Amino acid sequence: MSINNNNQEAAKSREQFKKENNLKPAKVRRRRIRVRILPIWLRIIIVAVLIFLSLIAGAAVGYGVVGNGEAKDIFKKSTWTHIVDLIEKE
């Protein structure tokens, strides 16, 4: 029987707790304003520049190290026409 009494007291205290919480005014939630350090358009430009630089670095490593050429030769038009001719040749 003491277990039942304890449960009833606990239930009463829970009910009292709920009533006390309902009497308190609800907290007003403030929306957090997010300030972006870099605007989205600037992020897109940065990503585009990084992709371009990685392409240049990849071509320099590929042509200079793997292809046993000079890395600075990737900036010459004759190098690219030669590469395109090799690819298109059947």
Side-chain angles (χ1 to χ4, degrees), residues 42-78:
L42 185 59
R43 291 179 192 184
I44 293 171
I45 291 173
I46 290 173
V47 168
V49 168
L50 289 176
I51 289 172
F52 179 74
L53 290 176
S54 66
L55 287 173
I56 296 293
V61 169
Y63 190 75
V65 177
V66 178
N68 293 329
E70 292 218 20
K72 64 181 179 179
D73 287 343
I74 64 164
F75 298 110
K76 294 180 181 177
K77 185 177 180 179
S78 61

Side-chain angles (χ1 to χ4, degrees), residues 14-30:
R14 276 190 234 127
E15 289 173 4
Q16 289 173 354
F17 181 75
K18 287 180 184 179
K19 286 180 184 178
E20 289 174 4
N21 283 343
N22 287 338
L23 295 177
K24 293 179 183 178
K27 290 184 181 179
V28 177
R29 277 192 161 178
R30 292 185 182 180

